[in-house]
Amino acid sequence: MFREYMQALIKRVDTRKLMQFKPPSLPQRIYTKTITVDNAHYGKYCNEVEWPASERMHPLYLQMLSLPLQMQCLLDKQSPFPLLGLIHSGNKVSVLLTCDLSEPFECRVRFYDVNPHNRGWEVEVQLEAYQSGQLVYKAVSSYLVKVKAVHVAPRALHSEIDGPCDSEEKLSIGELTMPSETGRRYAALSGDYNPIHLATFTAKLFGFKKPIAHGMYTLARAISAYAATQDNPNALQINNVDCRFKRPVFLPNTVSIQQHCETDSNVKIDVTNTQGSVTHLQIAMSF
């Protein structure tokens, strides 16, 4: 996706559209591509994110494969949003039917919605994936566009993952160690060569003191860590994942995974620093 990042560097955005009181209008174009899964690549992905051996596809893999389509969508000439500088704020993934990795996926990506945020606008990009004409997978990625404007809503939308919980007691299910080369490894796998993930020098160009881990990588590792605690991973069917990214994970780092609010059909997971004082992301999953 080097070409897309070069296009992002030269893209000019009419910021006046972002300064208006009403939400900016969204392009209506749908970007489509037929994606065939390469088994060797999928194996490398499972190894990188430590997904236990299972007949079930990792629920984030197809979302990762669609990233070039998402970037094309964000680079649409009618889009008022800059690609560089966007903050990945959340993800919602629904695995609607069993995904057959031996069959191609017809993927469709488009802008979905835009909402006011206390720091600007939160824009959503939707992926739909079809097999044999059936919708099998849906994902919505949320991105924060920071705008300094007094008329933007004085509150953050979807800042927490809500839901009933009988007990807030948390159980530590492990730690994730991420060495300094984590961002470069995942970039080689995913094609996401955003400079903020690659090296200290390039991260500083965008205001970060150190490179940060890809949010989708940290999320994927956390999901895998939970799956690894199950007695029979093959029986684990994750139907929905809802995640909010709270704080970046600077590299190198070690983070803690905390499980809570577990029922027969739901579980919540927090990824925190090892002291538990900083939450990096919050995850809610249902089965």
Side-chain angles (χ1 to χ4, degrees), residues 5 14 32 81 220 244 260 273-274:
Y5 278 112
D14 185 355
T32 63
F81 309 109
R244 297 301 297 179
H260 59 109
N273 63 350
T274 52

Side-chain angles (χ1 to χ4, degrees), residues 63-76:
Q63 174 79 339
M64 187 197 74
L65 289 184
S66 75
L67 185 58
L69 273 183
Q70 293 187 56
M71 293 187 68
Q72 289 179 38
C73 182
L74 290 165
L75 284 168
D76 190 294

Side-chain angles (χ1 to χ4, degrees), residues 195-214:
I196 64 176
H197 303 303
L198 304 181
T200 299
F201 170 71
T202 54
K204 285 183 176 180
L205 293 176
F206 294 90
F208 294 96
K209 61 182 180 181
K210 291 182 179 180
I212 64 175
H214 293 75

Side-chain angles (χ1 to χ4, degrees), residues 163-169 260-263 268:
C165 182
D166 294 332
S167 173
E168 286 297 331
E169 183 178 353
H260 59 109
C261 300
E262 185 175 29
T263 68
K268 291 185 179 181

Side-chain angles (χ1 to χ4, degrees), residues 20-35:
Q20 298 174 1
F21 183 80
K22 64 180 181 180
S25 58
L26 298 176
Q28 298 301 305
R29 180 175 176 180
I30 299 176
Y31 290 83
T32 63
K33 182 180 181 180
T34 299
I35 294 178

Side-chain angles (χ1 to χ4, degrees), residues 97-163:
L97 295 172
T98 300
C99 295
D100 186 348
L101 295 178
S102 66
E103 296 294 329
F105 294 89
E106 180 194 341
C107 294
R108 305 174 187 174
V109 169
R110 65 179 179 90
F111 282 106
Y112 183 67
D113 200 3
V114 59
N115 293 291
H117 190 282
N118 69 337
R119 298 174 66 190
W121 301 103
E122 191 171 63
V123 60
E124 296 178 339
V125 176
Q126 177 181 269
L127 160 69
E128 292 183 329
Y130 295 79
Q131 286 188 314
S132 302
Q134 288 187 301
L135 180 62
V136 297
Y137 186 96
K138 181 186 291 186
V140 175
S141 299
S142 300
Y143 299 96
L144 173 63
V145 185
K146 291 194 291 185
V147 178
K148 293 182 179 179
V150 296
H151 59 267
V152 173
R155 62 190 178 93
L157 299 184
H158 313 301
S159 59
E160 303 286 341
I161 293 180
D162 299 318

Side-chain angles (χ1 to χ4, degrees), residues 87-89 119 159-160 178 208 212-215 218 243-250 253 255 271-273 277-282:
I87 299 173
H88 194 179
S89 55
R119 298 174 66 190
S159 59
E160 303 286 341
M178 303 182 188
F208 294 96
I212 64 175
H214 293 75
T218 308
C243 169
R244 297 301 297 179
F245 299 104
K246 310 294 289 183
R247 296 286 187 276
V249 177
F250 292 105
N253 214 327
V255 295
V271 177
T272 70
N273 63 350
S277 59
V278 176
T279 300
H280 295 291
L281 62 145
Q282 297 175 318

